[in-house]
């Protein structure tokens, strides 16, 4: 007969689920031991075991005489004023990125993509969807459109590595700037699954198009970031 989960682990899993759902906010206290004891009809010792387990896992931390708090998780800090690739960003943080290609195909552009990339009607573009990992954790899902006439030799292997390295060092183009719109959204079921999150967990969606030194657009992307792994920062200066 299969043994049931120990009660302290059930309590720990409940607290963890509440944190992941955003019901217990980072930096705020969780319910007291007395409250959790009453909620689960458990002894204070059992509740303390559950809390200690989550402290060990790095999800909670105790402050003597104050309470138990949801620990603020370390996030990748992305400065939106710096135009760097995901690979460059992770390498600068001494992390090893991994790209998984989910879709790589040549398609006929629709009106929306034609406007973004300043293309003629039905001009072909590459459509690439990449799932991007750090330490086997999915951080980003990226949908990218690139004009075929600029990159006739673009390959699957290029997109497994660094797109910007290919553009600058293989094609000899100079990247000038990117225009970005950052939106908090609730993911659909497909994006939620790819990011290993839920449809109830807000994520960040960035729409961007980037141009070369001659102001010719070379890509349009819609990128989905896990909000519990990524933090966007802006450095503003008073004029």
């Amino acid at each position: 007969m299969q043994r049931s989960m120990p009660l302290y682990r059930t309590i720990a899993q409940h607290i963890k689920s509440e944190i992941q759902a955003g019901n217990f906010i980072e930096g705020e206290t969780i319910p007291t031991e007395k409250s959790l004891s009453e909620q689960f009809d458990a002894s204070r010792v059992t509740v303390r075991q559950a809390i200690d387990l989550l402290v060990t896992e790095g999800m909670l931390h105790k402050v003597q005489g104050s309470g138990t708090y949801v620990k603020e998780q370390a996030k990748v800090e992305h400065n939106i004023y710096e135009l760097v690739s995901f690979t460059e960003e992770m390498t600068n943080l001494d992390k090893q990125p991994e790209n998984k290609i989910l879709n790589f195909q040549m398609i006929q552009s629709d009106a929306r993509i034609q406007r973004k990339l300043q293309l003629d009607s039905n001009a072909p573009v590459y459509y690439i969807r990449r799932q991007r990992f750090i330490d086997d954790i999915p951080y980003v899902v990226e949908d990218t459109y690139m004009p075929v006439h600029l990159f006739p030799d673009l390959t699957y292997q290029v997109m497994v590595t660094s797109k910007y390295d290919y553009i600058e060092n293989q094609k000899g183009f100079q990247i000038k700037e990117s225009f970005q719109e950052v939106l908090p959204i609730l993911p659909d079921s497909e994006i939620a699954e790819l990011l290993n999150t839920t449809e109830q967990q807000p994520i960040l969606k960035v729409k961007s198009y980037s141009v070369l030194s001659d102001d010719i657009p070379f890509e349009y992307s819609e990128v989905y970031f896990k909000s519990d792994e990524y933090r966007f920062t802006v450095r503003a200066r008073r004029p």
Side-chain angles (χ1 to χ4, degrees):
M1 180 181 295
Q2 186 177 6
R3 298 174 62 184
S4 60
M5 182 184 297
L7 181 55
Y8 81 93
R9 286 193 173 273
T10 300
I11 297 171
Q13 184 57 51
H14 169 79
I15 296 171
K16 183 184 295 187
S17 297
E18 291 290 280
I19 293 171
Q20 292 172 338
N23 296 326
F24 294 165
I25 307 299
E26 290 183 7
E28 294 188 353
T29 57
I30 64 169
T32 63
E33 288 184 6
K34 181 175 183 296
S35 174
L36 290 169
S37 295
E38 293 173 351
Q39 180 179 351
F40 289 96
D41 192 21
S43 70
R44 297 280 282 269
V45 172
T46 299
V47 169
R48 203 166 294 131
Q49 276 185 288
I51 291 173
D52 288 344
L53 176 62
L54 294 178
V55 168
T56 301
E57 291 182 1
M59 298 198 74
L60 300 176
H61 72 103
K62 292 181 177 180
V63 177
Q64 186 67 32
S66 177
T68 302
Y69 293 78
V70 179
K71 190 172 183 179
E72 295 191 25
Q73 304 299 311
K75 297 184 179 182
V76 174
E77 187 167 322
H78 175 73
N79 186 343
I80 63 175
Y81 281 127
E82 293 181 354
L83 181 53
V84 295
S85 69
F86 180 80
T87 300
E88 292 168 334
E89 190 169 54
M90 294 303 111
T91 301
N92 291 339
L93 294 172
D94 294 324
K95 297 179 180 291
Q96 182 60 47
E98 177 188 353
N99 295 321
K100 181 179 180 181
I101 307 298
L102 305 178
N103 199 328
F104 184 100
Q105 61 178 311
M106 188 185 300
I107 63 173
Q108 296 299 315
S109 58
D110 58 22
R112 177 177 66 103
I113 300 303
Q114 290 161 23
R115 287 195 304 272
K116 298 292 186 183
L117 295 178
Q118 299 177 15
L119 298 174
D120 294 333
S121 177
N122 293 323
V125 296
Y126 295 103
Y127 165 64
I128 308 104
R129 167 167 280 190
R130 295 192 289 181
Q131 190 180 20
R132 319 194 74 174
F133 296 82
I134 296 295
D135 299 328
D136 296 322
I137 298 173
Y139 274 54
V140 175
V141 173
E142 174 191 271
D143 290 331
T144 297
Y145 302 85
M146 301 174 67
V148 171
H149 77 274
L150 285 179
F151 311 107
D153 58 348
L154 183 68
T155 64
Y156 180 100
Q157 186 56 40
V158 165
M159 299 306 291
V160 170
T161 54
S162 172
K163 172 180 59 184
Y164 281 12
D165 179 71
Y166 159 77
I167 291 170
E168 293 181 320
N169 297 321
Q170 293 187 43
K171 301 300 293 182
F173 293 135
Q174 182 179 349
I175 298 172
K176 180 181 178 181
E177 58 190 353
S178 177
F179 304 87
Q180 304 183 14
E181 179 183 7
V182 182
L183 304 167
I185 65 166
L186 293 175
D188 61 27
S189 58
E190 184 176 8
I191 295 297
E193 182 177 357
L194 290 174
L195 290 176
N196 194 25
T197 186
T198 69
E199 294 176 62
Q200 291 72 44
Q201 177 67 37
I203 65 170
L204 296 172
K205 178 179 181 179
V206 177
K207 298 180 181 181
S208 69
Y209 72 94
S210 304
V211 300
L212 301 172
S213 57
D214 53 7
D215 292 323
I216 294 177
F218 70 88
E219 72 164 336
Y220 171 69
S221 294
E222 295 181 350
V223 190
Y224 305 88
F225 295 85
K226 289 182 75 171
S227 57
D228 56 348
E229 304 288 355
Y230 248 89
R231 177 172 60 194
F232 280 61
T233 62
V234 178
R235 185 172 298 140
R237 292 183 177 179
R238 184 173 174 81

